[in-house]
Amino acid sequence: TFAAATAPFVRVDARVAMVTAENAEALLAPLEGSDAKPDLVVDCIDDVETKAALLATCARLGIKALSACGAGAKADPTRWCVAPLADAVHDPLAAKLRWALGKRGVTVGGAELALDADRPAPPEAIDCTCVYSHEPPRVGLLPLTDQQIKEGASSFGAVDVDHFRVRVMPVLGAAPAMAGQALASVALCGLAGAPATGKPREALSKKLCLKLLESLRKREARRELGPKVQPVACTWLDCGVDDAEYVVNDVWRGRCAATRRKLDRKPLVLCRWWRSLRPPRPHGCAWPADAPPVGADALICLAPPLADALD
C-alpha cells in the first residue's frame, strides 16, 4: 500500500467501516497487540449525527479529538482558525455539532460560570479542538432541481446512508484542502509535544477596540477623579488598539476572566485588576519615572457588573 511504501516504519491498522453510535467504540479500540487507547482522533466527517456519535465516544473514552468543521460556502483563506469547539463562530456545522453533542449529554465547555460557591462545578468538557473558518457562509444549500422534485428527492444522493443530505452545498475546491493541511499540522505538532496555539476567534474590529478603550478611560477617570469626570481626563493609560486586541483575544481568548462569558453574546469591558495605578514589578524593580502608569499588563477582561464590583 501507499502508506507501507512511504513510511515502512509505520504499522497501519485499517478499520474500514461507516462510523455509527453502535460501532464507534470498537473502531477506537486499541491496536492489535496493545492495550493503549489512541492518542488522538482526527475527525473529518461532514454529517452531524455521525460526527457527534464519534466525538461522544471520544469523550466517554477520554480520547483527545481534532475535528474539521464546515468548508462549504467558505472561500477566504485568511479566515481559518484553530480553537476549542466551544469557540467556533460563524460555522453552522460547529453550531449543529454542539447541539447534537448536548443531546447526548456531552458538554463542549465554554459555558458561563455562576459566581456561587454552592452551585456545583460544570462537568468536564470534551477535549476537542477544531479547525474552522470564521467567514460567514457565502451561499446556502443549492435548491433541488426540477428533475429531483419530479422524481422525488429520495432517488438522489447517498440514499442508503442515514442522515446524509440530498441537497448540495457549494464547495470551493481549495477550502477543504486548506482545512486538511491545518488539521495535519495541528495533529503532528500536538503528537510531537509542541502543540500549535492559534487564534481562537476572528480579530476584533478597530471600532470595537476603540470602544473598549474609551470605556476603560471613562472607568479610570471616574474611579480616580470623581463620578462626573470626562474620559479625556484619563492621562495615565498606556494602551492602544493592538493592546486591546492582545488582552481580549490572546490573553483572555474573548471571554470574561471570571465567568467565561463570550464576547460574541454579551458585552465585556476592560478594567484594571490591580488597585494601584501600576502592579509591582518582579524582583523589586521600579517602573521608570516617565512611564505611563496603566499598561496592557494591568488589564483584564470582565463582564460589566463584575468590573463595577471590582472598582
Side-chain angles (χ1 to χ4, degrees):
T1 64
F2 176 79
T6 306
F9 52 87
V10 174
R11 183 159 62 95
V12 178
D13 182 354
R15 303 179 183 184
V16 184
M18 175 69 71
V19 176
T20 65
E22 290 72 29
N23 70 2
E25 186 166 348
L27 292 175
L28 297 178
L31 292 173
E32 185 178 351
S34 169
D35 58 358
K37 65 184 180 183
D39 295 302
L40 179 69
V41 168
V42 181
D43 155 45
C44 302
I45 301 169
D46 63 359
D47 165 61
V48 175
E49 293 297 327
T50 310
K51 200 177 189 77
L54 175 63
L55 294 180
T57 304
C58 289
R60 188 172 69 255
L61 299 178
I63 300 173
K64 292 184 179 181
L66 178 60
S67 183
C69 291
K74 308 292 181 85
D76 188 341
T78 68
R79 302 288 193 96
W80 290 96
C81 290
V82 177
L85 179 58
D87 290 340
V89 296
H90 301 314
D91 190 299
L93 179 57
K96 292 177 182 176
L97 180 58
R98 289 191 291 259
W99 173 79
L101 287 170
K103 285 200 309 178
R104 290 168 168 78
V106 178
T107 176
V108 298
E112 288 187 32
L113 299 177
L115 299 181
D116 182 356
D118 296 327
R119 183 171 177 175
E124 186 174 351
I126 181 176
D127 189 352
C128 180
T129 299
C130 70
V131 172
Y132 79 99
S133 170
H134 63 73
E135 178 186 13
R138 297 189 175 207
V139 294
L141 291 169
L142 295 179
L144 297 174
T145 64
D146 293 340
Q147 181 183 5
Q148 287 174 319
I149 295 173
K150 181 179 179 181
E151 298 184 15
S154 61
S155 301
F156 297 85
V159 296
D160 58 336
V161 179
D162 291 339
H163 311 302
F164 273 70
R165 62 173 178 259
V166 174
R167 295 167 64 191
V168 175
M169 171 64 77
V171 178
L172 180 67
M178 287 186 285
Q181 292 286 350
L183 279 170
S185 297
V186 173
L188 291 173
C189 288
L191 292 173
T197 305
K199 283 279 189 181
R201 44 170 288 127
E202 60 189 301
L204 302 183
S205 67
K206 182 178 180 180
K207 181 179 180 180
L208 179 55
C209 288
L210 290 173
K211 183 178 179 180
L212 288 169
L213 290 173
E214 183 67 9
S215 173
L216 173 61
R217 290 190 185 93
K218 179 179 178 180
R219 181 177 296 276
E220 286 287 313
R222 296 191 175 182
R223 182 182 59 245
E224 299 296 330
L225 302 177
K228 296 183 179 181
V229 177
Q230 296 301 310
V232 69
C234 174
T235 59
W236 53 87
L237 187 62
D238 182 23
C239 290
V241 169
D242 291 341
D243 296 306
E245 160 72 20
Y246 174 76
V247 171
V248 173
N249 264 352
D250 292 88
V251 177
W252 296 108
R253 317 291 278 183
R255 292 180 177 273
C256 172
T259 67
R260 297 201 308 228
R261 173 192 288 184
K262 286 183 70 173
L263 179 61
D264 297 320
R265 295 198 300 265
K266 298 176 183 177
L268 297 176
V269 297
L270 292 174
C271 67
R272 186 166 15 116
W273 64 274
W274 195 264
R275 188 170 183 178
S276 60
L277 286 182
R278 272 288 196 186
R281 295 191 71 179
H283 310 300
C285 300
W287 292 102
D290 58 347
V294 177
D297 56 335
L299 301 180
I300 58 173
C301 196
L302 286 178
L306 296 178
D308 294 340
L310 182 61
D311 286 346

